[in-house]
Amino acid sequence: MDIARIEAIPSVKPRVFLEDMGCQMNRLDSEIVLGKLHQAGFQRVETTDDADVVLYYTCSVREHAEDKVFGRLGSLKRLKALRPELVIGVMGCMAQNHKERIFERAPHVDLVCGTSRFEDVVDLLEEVRHGERVLAVDRRELKFDRDISVRPRRFQAFITAMRGCNKYCTFCIVPYTQGRERSRPVSELLDEARRLVDDGVVEITLLGQRIDTYGQDQRDGTNLALLLHRIHEEVPGLLRINFITSHPNFMTDELAATIADHDRISRYLHLPVQSGSERTLKAMNRGYSVDEYRAAVARMRARVPDLAIATDWIVGFPGETEDDFAASVALQRELGFHGSFVFKYSPRAGTRAAELEDDVPRATKEARNQVLLAEQSAMSLAQHTARIGLDLEVLVEGPSKRNAERSMGRTRWNEIVCFPAREEAVGRMLRIRIERTTALTLHGQPI
Ligand code: SAH
Ligand code: F3S
C-alpha cells in the first residue's frame, strides 16, 4: 500500500474536475457521476490544476473524442509527476472500449470505469485512495438511483429510457460498449419524470440508442408510444417531451398517432439514415432499404405533416463510390430533412467494418461532408424562411451564445430562435414573431 498517497489526499471536500465528451447518454451518465460525488462531499472545480481527482467521461462512437482524451492524458503527465496523489480516471464508453489498454497507453491513469460501473464511482475512488489502480469494466445491473438535482440546466433534463443496442450496424461500437438493449420499467420512468418536475424541470429528453425499440425486451406489450402517452398524461408539469434516437424500422402508425395527438410531445424526430445507397446500407447492416426508409418517413408525415425529421449521415464508409454518395445527396434533397449530422467514417476496432479497408481518402470524406452540409444549409434556410411572419411558441433556454443581449429558445421542431433578452422567461414558453432568419437560427420579437 502506498502510504504517502493516502495521506496526501485531503479527507475533506476533495475537489473533482470532470470533462465529458460525446453523446447525450455519456453526458447524462457524467451528470449522474457528479451527483454521486456531490453526495459524497466532493466539490466540483473548473481546472485540472485545482483538482484532486480528474475524470474524463467519454463516448467512443468516433475516433475524435478518444484521441482528444489521450491528448489530455498526455498533458496531465507533468501534473501527476508533480503531484503523485492526483487521481486520474477515464470513464464511459471509451473506458469500456479500451479497458486495460488505457493503462498501457497512459500508465499514470488510476481508474478505468466502464458503462456498467459508473454508479459505483465513490467506492471505486476509495479503492484508488488505498493505493490501487482500479479497472471496473465488468457488466452489472445499473441501479438508476440518480441524484436528480445535479444537472446543467434547472428546467431541462435527460432521462435514460433504455440502454444498449442489439442492432450491430457494422460501423458502430455502441453495442460493444453499451451491451444488450435493456428498457427501464414505465413506472420507474414516470417516477423519475415526476421528481424532476417537482425540482423545476419542464422539458425532458428520453434517451435510448434505438429509443423506438423501447419495451421490446420486456415482452409485456410496452412500447415507446405507450410510454410517451403515459408521461404526457401523468406528468402534466412538462411543457415538452423529446425522445432520441430512432431507428427507421420501428416507425409505427401508433407512434405517429401518439405524436400527433399529444400536444406537448415535440414534433422532432431524429431518424438516422446513414446513406442513400442501397449497397452501402447493406454493408452497414442497417436493416432497411432506401425504399423502406422512404416509407418510414412517409408513414410518420402522413399522420404528423409538420414533423421535423433530422438525420445522420456517414460519408466515406469503406467502398463508398461517387455513385453511392450521389445517391445520398439525392435522398437528402428528396426527403427535405430539417437537420443533417454528417460524420466522416472512422474505423472502430472490434466492429465488422473495421475489417474492411478504410479506402476513401480523407480529402474525399471531407469534401463529401461539405457537400451534405451545404445542401442541408440551403434546405434549412428555405424551411426557416417559410417561418417568417409566423408567431411561434418558443421554450426559452437562456442567453444566446453569440450575443449576451439576446436570449435563445427552441420551437417544438427543435429550431433555435433568438430574440431580445428575456432572462426572467427561462424555462417558460414565449410567443415569438419571426422576423428574419439564417440557415441556423430564427430571429424575432416576443409578442
Ligand atoms: N443510435 C445511436 C447512434 C449512436 S452513434 C444514437 O443514439 O444516436 C451516432 C452517430 O454516429 C450514428 O448515427 C452515425 O451516423 C455516427 N457513427 C457511428 N459510428 C461511426 C463511425 N465508426 N464513424 C463515423 N460515424 C459514426
Ligand atoms: Fe449503433 Fe446501429 Fe445501434 S448505429 S447504436 S448499432 S442502431
Side-chain angles (χ1 to χ4, degrees):
M1 199 165 20
D2 183 349
I3 303 281
R5 213 161 131 132
I6 298 175
E7 286 173 353
I9 293 179
S11 55
V12 284
K13 282 265 180 199
R15 295 158 303 172
V16 60
F17 170 88
L18 183 146
E19 184 177 358
D20 70 280
M21 282 176 225
C23 71
Q24 287 90 347
M25 192 162 289
N26 277 269
R27 224 155 82 203
L28 172 56
D29 291 348
S30 77
E31 280 169 47
I32 291 170
V33 161
L34 282 174
K36 304 264 173 212
L37 292 173
H38 176 74
Q39 282 174 338
F42 282 73
Q43 176 196 350
R44 188 171 188 187
V45 292
E46 296 304 319
T47 68
T48 53
D49 284 342
D50 294 331
D52 304 303
V53 176
V54 173
L55 299 174
Y56 294 108
Y57 209 108
T58 313
C59 160
S60 48
V61 162
R62 286 168 297 275
E63 219 167 8
H64 183 67
E66 293 189 348
D67 286 348
K68 233 158 93 181
V69 170
F70 279 120
R72 298 271 206 284
L73 291 173
S75 28
L76 278 181
K77 236 183 249 162
R78 276 214 1 240
L79 198 60
K80 180 85 172 181
L82 288 173
R83 292 201 281 129
E85 74 281 6
L86 177 72
V87 173
I88 302 175
V90 177
M91 304 185 75
C93 281
M94 177 177 174
Q96 194 68 43
N97 188 17
H98 290 279
K99 302 190 176 68
E100 59 279 350
R101 288 200 307 271
I102 292 180
F103 293 135
E104 286 158 25
R105 235 178 113 173
H108 53 303
V109 168
D110 304 281
L111 170 67
V112 170
C113 172
T115 52
S116 298
R117 296 296 310 281
F118 64 92
E119 295 180 332
D120 302 325
V121 62
V122 174
D123 293 340
L124 295 171
L125 287 177
E126 190 60 28
E127 284 176 38
V128 173
R129 244 169 80 105
H130 287 87
E132 289 159 40
R133 184 189 250 183
V134 177
L135 176 69
V137 291
D138 51 313
R139 294 260 175 228
R140 296 202 185 167
E141 288 282 326
L142 288 163
K143 299 181 213 66
F144 293 103
D145 58 347
R146 76 193 266 206
D147 174 351
I148 51 126
S149 71
V150 176
R151 52 177 193 275
R153 284 202 164 128
R154 298 318 303 157
F155 68 94
Q156 278 177 326
F158 290 120
I159 296 181
T160 304
M162 64 185 301
R163 297 187 73 98
C165 183
N166 297 351
K167 185 68 191 94
Y168 289 91
C169 300
T170 56
F171 53 79
C172 185
I173 195 80
V174 169
Y176 304 93
T177 58
Q178 293 282 348
R180 306 289 296 169
E181 287 174 4
R182 290 99 71 205
S183 304
R184 296 173 63 195
V186 177
S187 56
E188 203 176 294
L189 297 173
L190 283 169
D191 182 59
E192 193 166 317
R194 282 196 200 99
R195 285 193 297 131
L196 285 162
V197 168
D198 289 343
D199 199 51
V201 165
V202 297
E203 176 175 29
I204 59 165
T205 301
L206 299 170
L207 297 182
Q209 302 296 340
R210 291 197 298 172
I211 187 81
D212 45 341
T213 65
Y214 172 80
Q216 284 189 4
D217 54 313
Q218 310 237 328
R219 301 178 189 288
D220 60 357
T222 312
N223 62 29
L224 177 62
L226 290 169
L227 173 66
L228 289 169
H229 168 76
R230 288 202 55 188
I231 292 179
H232 190 275
E233 297 308 295
E234 295 175 39
V235 193
L238 289 172
L239 299 178
R240 196 171 283 161
I241 304 163
N242 311 297
F243 59 96
I244 51 173
T245 303
S246 298
H247 185 278
N249 289 7
F250 307 92
M251 293 295 105
T252 60
D253 292 328
E254 188 190 5
L255 179 61
T258 303
I259 297 171
D261 297 344
H262 296 74
D263 211 31
R264 289 172 293 115
I265 299 177
S266 68
R267 267 29 178 189
Y268 174 77
L269 186 67
H270 187 174
L271 194 68
V273 62
Q274 313 297 359
S275 170
S277 150
E278 219 63 83
R279 226 169 54 86
T280 310
L281 285 178
K282 235 193 205 98
M284 288 175 164
N285 188 37
R286 284 292 289 174
Y288 50 83
S289 63
V290 179
D291 267 344
E292 283 164 338
Y293 186 88
R294 284 193 182 99
V297 168
R299 195 172 314 123
M300 300 309 285
R301 285 183 174 160
R303 197 70 172 76
V304 194
D306 64 343
L307 189 65
I309 302 180
T311 199
D312 292 355
W313 304 94
I314 293 179
V315 292
F317 185 80
E320 187 187 65
T321 62
E322 283 303 327
D323 283 351
D324 292 323
F325 178 64
S328 292
V329 179
L331 189 69
Q332 186 188 35
R333 282 198 195 137
E334 176 192 329
L335 293 181
F337 291 108
H338 285 248
S340 283
F341 301 92
V342 189
F343 304 105
K344 288 168 269 182
Y345 173 74
S346 60
R348 309 308 292 132
T351 61
R352 277 199 283 141
E355 292 161 22
L356 306 170
E357 193 194 341
D358 181 14
D359 56 355
V360 178
R362 190 194 291 224
T364 308
K365 287 179 186 168
E366 183 52 44
R368 291 178 184 173
N369 177 38
Q370 291 306 330
V371 170
L372 288 176
L373 289 179
E375 182 64 33
Q376 182 60 55
S377 188
M379 287 194 303
S380 297
L381 183 61
Q383 291 153 359
H384 284 173
T385 303
R387 302 268 197 236
I388 292 174
L390 299 180
D391 299 339
L392 302 179
E393 293 243 283
V394 170
L395 182 55
V396 184
E397 293 195 1
S400 144
K401 273 194 203 109
R402 295 241 181 93
N403 180 347
E405 281 159 30
R406 292 174 81 75
S407 293
M408 64 79 66
R410 279 174 210 266
T411 67
R412 63 194 328 208
W413 303 282
N414 200 33
E415 296 154 328
I416 296 174
V417 182
C418 287
F419 47 89
R422 291 288 295 273
E423 284 315 293
E424 77 289 354
V426 167
R428 301 212 317 258
M429 289 285 188
L430 280 185
R431 279 192 90 73
I432 306 287
R433 178 155 302 161
I434 305 302
E435 294 174 334
R436 61 193 170 86
T437 188
T438 67
L440 290 178
T441 315
L442 296 160
H443 294 269
Q445 295 288 337
I447 51 170

Short mmCIF file of all heavy atoms in Angstrom, two decimals, residues 103-128:
data_model
loop_
_atom_site.label_atom_id
_atom_site.label_comp_id
_atom_site.label_asym_id
_atom_site.label_seq_id
_atom_site.Cartn_x
_atom_site.Cartn_y
_atom_site.Cartn_z
N PHE A 103 -4.47 1.83 -19.44
CA PHE A 103 -3.31 1.84 -18.53
C PHE A 103 -2.00 1.67 -19.30
O PHE A 103 -0.98 2.24 -18.97
CB PHE A 103 -3.41 0.71 -17.50
CG PHE A 103 -4.55 0.86 -16.52
CD1 PHE A 103 -5.37 -0.22 -16.21
CD2 PHE A 103 -4.78 2.08 -15.88
CE1 PHE A 103 -6.40 -0.09 -15.30
CE2 PHE A 103 -5.81 2.21 -14.96
CZ PHE A 103 -6.63 1.12 -14.68
N GLU A 104 -2.07 0.83 -20.35
CA GLU A 104 -0.85 0.60 -21.13
C GLU A 104 -0.42 1.88 -21.84
O GLU A 104 0.76 2.22 -21.86
CB GLU A 104 -1.07 -0.53 -22.16
CG GLU A 104 -1.10 -1.91 -21.52
CD GLU A 104 -1.82 -2.94 -22.39
OE1 GLU A 104 -1.88 -2.75 -23.63
OE2 GLU A 104 -2.36 -3.91 -21.82
N ARG A 105 -1.41 2.57 -22.40
CA ARG A 105 -1.07 3.78 -23.17
C ARG A 105 -0.81 4.97 -22.26
O ARG A 105 -0.07 5.87 -22.62
CB ARG A 105 -2.23 4.11 -24.12
CG ARG A 105 -1.74 4.20 -25.56
CD ARG A 105 -2.88 4.47 -26.48
NE ARG A 105 -2.78 5.80 -27.09
CZ ARG A 105 -3.59 6.22 -28.05
NH1 ARG A 105 -4.58 5.44 -28.47
NH2 ARG A 105 -3.44 7.42 -28.56
N ALA A 106 -1.44 4.99 -21.10
CA ALA A 106 -1.29 6.13 -20.18
C ALA A 106 -1.13 5.57 -18.76
O ALA A 106 -2.09 5.49 -18.00
CB ALA A 106 -2.51 7.05 -20.27
N PRO A 107 0.09 5.17 -18.41
CA PRO A 107 0.32 4.46 -17.15
C PRO A 107 0.00 5.30 -15.91
O PRO A 107 -0.12 4.74 -14.82
CB PRO A 107 1.81 4.12 -17.18
CG PRO A 107 2.26 4.35 -18.58
CD PRO A 107 1.32 5.32 -19.21
N HIS A 108 -0.15 6.61 -16.07
CA HIS A 108 -0.44 7.45 -14.91
C HIS A 108 -1.94 7.52 -14.62
O HIS A 108 -2.36 8.22 -13.71
CB HIS A 108 0.14 8.85 -15.11
CG HIS A 108 -0.27 9.51 -16.40
ND1 HIS A 108 -0.04 8.95 -17.64
CD2 HIS A 108 -0.90 10.69 -16.64
CE1 HIS A 108 -0.50 9.75 -18.59
NE2 HIS A 108 -1.03 10.80 -17.99
N VAL A 109 -2.75 6.79 -15.39
CA VAL A 109 -4.19 6.73 -15.09
C VAL A 109 -4.42 5.75 -13.93
O VAL A 109 -3.81 4.69 -13.87
CB VAL A 109 -4.97 6.29 -16.36
CG1 VAL A 109 -6.41 5.93 -16.02
CG2 VAL A 109 -4.93 7.40 -17.40
N ASP A 110 -5.31 6.14 -13.00
CA ASP A 110 -5.57 5.30 -11.82
C ASP A 110 -6.85 4.51 -11.93
O ASP A 110 -7.01 3.47 -11.30
CB ASP A 110 -5.70 6.20 -10.57
CG ASP A 110 -4.49 7.08 -10.38
OD1 ASP A 110 -3.48 6.56 -9.89
OD2 ASP A 110 -4.55 8.27 -10.76
N LEU A 111 -7.82 5.07 -12.67
CA LEU A 111 -9.14 4.44 -12.71
C LEU A 111 -9.65 4.35 -14.13
O LEU A 111 -9.66 5.35 -14.86
CB LEU A 111 -10.13 5.26 -11.86
CG LEU A 111 -11.62 4.89 -11.98
CD1 LEU A 111 -11.88 3.50 -11.40
CD2 LEU A 111 -12.49 5.92 -11.25
N VAL A 112 -10.09 3.16 -14.52
CA VAL A 112 -10.78 2.98 -15.79
C VAL A 112 -12.13 2.38 -15.45
O VAL A 112 -12.22 1.27 -14.91
CB VAL A 112 -9.97 2.06 -16.74
CG1 VAL A 112 -10.80 1.68 -17.96
CG2 VAL A 112 -8.67 2.74 -17.18
N CYS A 113 -13.19 3.16 -15.71
CA CYS A 113 -14.51 2.75 -15.22
C CYS A 113 -15.51 2.78 -16.37
O CYS A 113 -15.75 3.82 -16.98
CB CYS A 113 -14.94 3.71 -14.11
SG CYS A 113 -16.63 3.47 -13.59
N GLY A 114 -16.09 1.63 -16.68
CA GLY A 114 -16.94 1.49 -17.86
C GLY A 114 -18.41 1.81 -17.64
O GLY A 114 -18.80 2.37 -16.61
N THR A 115 -19.21 1.41 -18.60
CA THR A 115 -20.60 1.85 -18.68
C THR A 115 -21.55 1.13 -17.73
O THR A 115 -22.72 1.50 -17.64
CB THR A 115 -21.12 1.64 -20.12
OG1 THR A 115 -20.86 0.28 -20.49
CG2 THR A 115 -20.43 2.55 -21.10
N SER A 116 -21.07 0.09 -17.04
CA SER A 116 -21.95 -0.57 -16.06
C SER A 116 -21.52 -0.30 -14.63
O SER A 116 -22.13 -0.80 -13.69
CB SER A 116 -21.93 -2.10 -16.26
OG SER A 116 -22.41 -2.44 -17.52
N ARG A 117 -20.45 0.47 -14.45
CA ARG A 117 -19.92 0.65 -13.09
C ARG A 117 -19.82 2.10 -12.64
O ARG A 117 -19.37 2.37 -11.52
CB ARG A 117 -18.52 0.00 -13.01
CG ARG A 117 -18.50 -1.52 -13.21
CD ARG A 117 -19.25 -2.28 -12.12
NE ARG A 117 -18.89 -1.92 -10.78
CZ ARG A 117 -17.80 -2.34 -10.13
NH1 ARG A 117 -16.97 -3.16 -10.71
NH2 ARG A 117 -17.55 -1.95 -8.89
N PHE A 118 -20.27 3.05 -13.51
CA PHE A 118 -20.08 4.46 -13.14
C PHE A 118 -20.85 4.85 -11.89
O PHE A 118 -20.46 5.77 -11.19
CB PHE A 118 -20.43 5.36 -14.34
CG PHE A 118 -21.87 5.29 -14.76
CD1 PHE A 118 -22.80 6.18 -14.24
CD2 PHE A 118 -22.30 4.33 -15.68
CE1 PHE A 118 -24.13 6.12 -14.63
CE2 PHE A 118 -23.62 4.26 -16.07
CZ PHE A 118 -24.55 5.15 -15.53
N GLU A 119 -21.94 4.11 -11.61
CA GLU A 119 -22.70 4.44 -10.40
C GLU A 119 -21.90 4.16 -9.12
O GLU A 119 -22.24 4.66 -8.06
CB GLU A 119 -24.01 3.64 -10.37
CG GLU A 119 -24.95 4.00 -11.49
CD GLU A 119 -26.25 3.19 -11.45
OE1 GLU A 119 -26.24 2.04 -10.95
OE2 GLU A 119 -27.27 3.70 -11.90
N ASP A 120 -20.84 3.36 -9.25
CA ASP A 120 -20.03 3.00 -8.08
C ASP A 120 -18.82 3.91 -7.92
O ASP A 120 -17.86 3.57 -7.23
CB ASP A 120 -19.52 1.55 -8.23
CG ASP A 120 -20.66 0.56 -8.39
OD1 ASP A 120 -21.72 0.79 -7.78
OD2 ASP A 120 -20.50 -0.41 -9.15
N VAL A 121 -18.86 5.08 -8.59
CA VAL A 121 -17.66 5.91 -8.67
C VAL A 121 -17.05 6.22 -7.30
O VAL A 121 -15.83 6.20 -7.14
CB VAL A 121 -17.94 7.21 -9.47
CG1 VAL A 121 -19.00 8.06 -8.81
CG2 VAL A 121 -16.67 8.00 -9.70
N VAL A 122 -17.90 6.45 -6.29
CA VAL A 122 -17.38 6.84 -4.98
C VAL A 122 -16.56 5.69 -4.38
O VAL A 122 -15.42 5.89 -3.91
CB VAL A 122 -18.52 7.27 -4.04
CG1 VAL A 122 -17.99 7.54 -2.63
CG2 VAL A 122 -19.20 8.52 -4.59
N ASP A 123 -17.11 4.48 -4.43
CA ASP A 123 -16.37 3.31 -3.91
C ASP A 123 -15.10 3.06 -4.70
O ASP A 123 -14.06 2.70 -4.14
CB ASP A 123 -17.24 2.05 -3.98
CG ASP A 123 -18.43 2.15 -3.03
OD1 ASP A 123 -18.36 2.98 -2.09
OD2 ASP A 123 -19.42 1.42 -3.24
N LEU A 124 -15.19 3.25 -6.00
CA LEU A 124 -14.01 2.99 -6.83
C LEU A 124 -12.89 3.97 -6.52
O LEU A 124 -11.72 3.60 -6.44
CB LEU A 124 -14.40 3.05 -8.32
CG LEU A 124 -15.39 1.96 -8.76
CD1 LEU A 124 -15.89 2.21 -10.18
CD2 LEU A 124 -14.76 0.56 -8.66
N LEU A 125 -13.27 5.24 -6.29
CA LEU A 125 -12.24 6.23 -5.93
C LEU A 125 -11.65 5.91 -4.57
O LEU A 125 -10.47 6.14 -4.32
CB LEU A 125 -12.82 7.65 -5.95
CG LEU A 125 -13.10 8.22 -7.34
CD1 LEU A 125 -13.73 9.61 -7.24
CD2 LEU A 125 -11.80 8.31 -8.17
N GLU A 126 -12.47 5.35 -3.71
CA GLU A 126 -11.98 4.94 -2.39
C GLU A 126 -10.91 3.83 -2.55
O GLU A 126 -9.87 3.86 -1.90
CB GLU A 126 -13.17 4.44 -1.55
CG GLU A 126 -12.89 4.19 -0.09
CD GLU A 126 -12.40 5.43 0.66
OE1 GLU A 126 -12.77 6.57 0.25
OE2 GLU A 126 -11.65 5.25 1.63
N GLU A 127 -11.18 2.91 -3.46
CA GLU A 127 -10.18 1.86 -3.73
C GLU A 127 -8.88 2.46 -4.26
O GLU A 127 -7.79 2.05 -3.87
CB GLU A 127 -10.72 0.84 -4.76
CG GLU A 127 -11.73 -0.13 -4.20
CD GLU A 127 -12.29 -1.04 -5.29
OE1 GLU A 127 -11.52 -1.45 -6.18
OE2 GLU A 127 -13.51 -1.32 -5.27
N VAL A 128 -9.03 3.45 -5.14
CA VAL A 128 -7.84 4.11 -5.66
C VAL A 128 -7.07 4.78 -4.53
O VAL A 128 -5.84 4.70 -4.46
CB VAL A 128 -8.22 5.16 -6.74
CG1 VAL A 128 -7.00 5.97 -7.15
CG2 VAL A 128 -8.83 4.48 -7.95
#
